[in-house]
Amino acid sequence: LDKPDVLDNLKMLFQGFAEATPPMFVLMGNFTSKPLGLNPGDIKKLQGYFDDLADLICEFPELRDNSKFVFVPGPQDIGIGNVLPRPGLPEIVTLKLRSNRFPKNGVVFASNPCRILYGTRELLFFRQDITHQMRRNCILPPSTHETKDVTNHLVKTLLEQSHLCPLPLPTRPVHWNHEHALHIYPLPDLLVLGDSVDHFSWSHYECACANPASFSLDQSFVVYYPSSNKVEFSRLNPSGDDGDDNDDGMEFESSA
């Protein structure tokens, strides 16, 4: 949110969905390019960034009044430090988003990980750079017999161990009283891993797993269809080049 082009791209995104009015937007951190919260003046900066986002959402009253906005904090966002699970963003920096300008429960500041029950679908969101952490701490390299794609190995490892972060405590500290929040048994219908690697999508044991990549870097995001339990990778096309002739400037590249 500290980069002006990100707000411009979010405005284009909201314009594209203004008529369709999806029931929910899930925004996953990090919400600033650099960690803020330790130095004097950081809180005021964060307040300003989230106030700008609140003003942007209010420019689209149909989305503000009919869509739910869910915020999932990232590992560098203001909070309790390098411990999982992480609580939601603090009230002190999100006052305008919590104000009566928005419908009651229209904005949700969820924990990380975050579980959402939409109809009969269970959706699980986890924002963590888990791929690099798993690769740094693996004892044996992944077998290349079935696939050479490390993200496929990652998804299978997490789902088959039924845990979002199967790493030793010195490597990945965990708040033990809330460790159960990292369990993924029974499996959800959708697992969204907000990772720093390129986007990927796999299905394992009828659980759809997707990583939308970074919206701030390449304007990419994921659209989820609960009826079919499918995800579709999408990207904004601000220049209007090399994409479909969409008035809303969005490209729907592939689905899985």
Side-chain angles (χ1 to χ4, degrees), residues 12-13 16 31 75 144 167:
M12 180 180 293
L13 176 70
F31 290 102
T144 59
L167 292 169

Side-chain angles (χ1 to χ4, degrees), residues 201-219:
S201 176
W202 301 102
S203 182
H204 194 52
Y205 293 136
E206 299 184 354
C207 174
C209 302
N211 172 40
S214 174
F215 183 82
S216 64
L217 294 180
D218 59 7
Q219 300 83 51

Side-chain angles (χ1 to χ4, degrees), residues 21-181:
T21 314
M24 187 183 305
F25 290 91
V26 179
L27 291 81
M28 306 175 72
N30 302 313
F31 290 102
T32 55
S33 57
K34 297 180 180 179
L36 294 177
L38 299 178
N39 300 318
D42 282 357
I43 297 299
K44 193 168 185 178
K45 288 181 180 178
L46 286 168
Q47 288 174 336
Y49 296 145
F50 283 104
D51 286 354
D52 291 342
L53 178 58
D55 291 337
L56 175 60
I57 296 174
C58 288
E59 292 182 21
F60 302 90
E62 60 282 346
L63 296 180
R64 178 198 61 196
D65 297 338
N66 299 293
S67 298
K68 188 181 292 289
F69 292 83
V70 181
F71 291 82
V72 180
Q76 294 184 3
D77 286 322
I78 184 173
I80 60 174
N82 190 33
V83 181
L84 288 175
R86 294 180 62 89
L89 294 169
E91 182 177 354
I92 191 173
V93 298
T94 56
L95 290 174
K96 186 173 284 190
L97 284 165
R98 299 173 187 264
S99 69
N100 56 14
R101 298 177 65 186
F102 293 84
K104 184 179 180 181
N105 299 323
V107 180
V108 177
F109 297 96
S111 61
N112 180 25
C114 163
R115 284 175 167 82
I116 297 175
L117 186 63
Y118 183 79
T120 60
R121 299 292 191 188
E122 183 179 352
L123 319 179
L124 176 56
F125 297 85
F126 184 47
R127 174 62 184 95
Q128 189 71 30
D129 298 333
I130 188 65
T131 301
H132 296 309
Q133 293 177 356
M134 294 287 286
R135 294 187 70 179
R136 285 197 302 266
N137 291 277
C138 67
I139 299 176
L140 297 175
S143 171
T144 59
H145 178 68
E146 295 183 2
T147 177
K148 295 182 180 180
D149 195 316
V150 69
T151 62
N152 184 271
H153 288 288
L154 171 70
V155 168
K156 288 184 177 181
T157 299
L158 299 184
L159 297 186
E160 292 181 5
Q161 295 199 33
S162 300
H163 202 279
L164 286 171
C165 195
L167 292 169
L169 287 177
T171 302
R172 178 72 272 178
V174 173
H175 194 307
W176 202 247
N177 288 340
H178 302 285
E179 190 270 343
H180 61 274

Side-chain angles (χ1 to χ4, degrees), residues 185-203:
Y185 182 84
L187 295 179
D189 295 288
L190 172 69
L191 171 60
V192 178
L193 295 172
D195 208 321
S196 58
V197 299
D198 291 338
H199 61 67
F200 62 79
S201 176
W202 301 102
S203 182

